[in-house]
Amino acid sequence: MKLTRREFLKVTGIASATLFLDLGFDLSPVEAQARELKIKYAQETRTICPYCGCGCGIIVHTRDGKVINTEGDPNHPINQGSLCSKGMALYQVAVNERRMKKPLYRAPGSDKWEEKDWDWVLDRIAQKVKETRDATFITQENGITANRTDAIACLGGAALDNEECYLLTKLMRSLGIVYLEHQARI
Ligand code: SF4
């Protein structure tokens, strides 16, 4: 019988796996050791999954400033080490050649995106917020002081921690913004 290279690898792979199973080999210690080696000497940082309101704990391993592994935090009270498929794929947020690293801007009426730096983008956002607030600010309503704008809303995300939410809310309230929501309201 003539085997192609692919068929040969398939047959020998299945045969080895069957042999290990038949002889009662437990591969979990080998897997655990491979994992240990992968993250040996790596810096360990604890963080929260940015995707949804469950707020699962994640450990990020970095070496030389680069993310080499992410996994569920076994000591986190919410997920106790487990992650859903999105959380498990978090590694790809950092290590992904398709990840966008610069803000893109499309001018009104244009069909092209332009790369901009963060200073330009933040100035532009601040300018638009100021313009919109000034144009829509309501000082009085039915004879009562209102000091608010209904033209701007703020949406927070699950990646914000308590302190960031506190500061964001303070900033929005100081601008007179009343529509505050959070993506993690589930
Ligand atoms: S791991 Fe899944 S369930 Fe947990 S916070 Fe992330 S997206 Fe939500």
Side-chain angles (χ1 to χ4, degrees):
M1 184 176 68
K2 205 171 169 197
L3 288 179
T4 63
R5 187 169 168 272
R6 180 182 287 266
E7 284 164 346
F8 173 76
L9 290 173
K10 213 192 237 176
V11 171
T12 49
I14 292 169
S16 328
T18 313
L19 184 66
F20 271 116
L21 288 176
D22 281 353
L23 296 178
F25 281 113
D26 178 7
L27 292 177
S28 34
V30 181
E31 283 167 10
Q33 199 179 6
R35 186 192 153 279
E36 280 286 300
L37 286 174
K38 186 179 173 191
I39 58 173
K40 203 166 186 181
Y41 306 124
Q43 184 174 345
E44 208 174 279
T45 308
R46 286 177 162 70
T47 188
I48 304 295
C49 175
Y51 288 130
C52 89
C54 291
C56 296
I58 291 187
I59 300 177
V60 180
H61 294 100
T62 47
R63 194 179 289 132
D64 301 326
K66 293 202 173 84
V67 177
I68 56 163
N69 183 57
T70 57
E71 60 189 45
D73 182 352
N75 294 320
H76 196 277
I78 289 176
N79 56 317
Q80 299 179 346
S82 64
L83 292 172
C84 77
S85 52
K86 279 182 79 178
M88 282 173 77
L90 188 71
Y91 175 77
Q92 292 173 26
V93 170
V95 184
N96 190 335
E97 61 187 27
R98 296 173 62 199
R99 179 182 176 182
M100 293 204 317
K101 293 183 176 160
K102 287 199 173 153
L104 294 178
Y105 168 74
R106 195 178 68 180
S110 169
D111 62 352
K112 290 188 183 51
W113 292 95
E114 302 164 49
E115 269 190 8
K116 296 284 186 191
D117 61 48
W118 277 108
D119 283 344
W120 186 93
V121 172
L122 293 174
D123 285 350
R124 173 89 180 157
I125 293 170
Q127 190 186 32
K128 297 306 277 181
V129 168
K130 170 91 169 72
E131 274 173 27
T132 308
R133 180 180 181 268
D134 289 352
T136 59
F137 202 67
I138 304 163
T139 49
Q140 291 268 324
E141 197 169 52
N142 301 327
I144 299 169
T145 304
N147 287 343
R148 70 164 203 273
T149 171
D150 294 339
I152 307 174
C154 172
L155 181 68
L160 299 172
D161 61 26
N162 273 354
E163 290 72 20
E164 287 163 339
C165 284
Y166 174 83
L167 289 173
L168 187 61
T169 307
K170 282 276 178 199
L171 174 65
M172 294 302 123
R173 296 287 188 220
S174 68
L175 289 170
I177 294 168
V178 289
Y179 296 124
L180 293 180
E181 251 304 349
H182 198 277
Q183 161 256 337
R185 192 195 287 270
I186 56 172

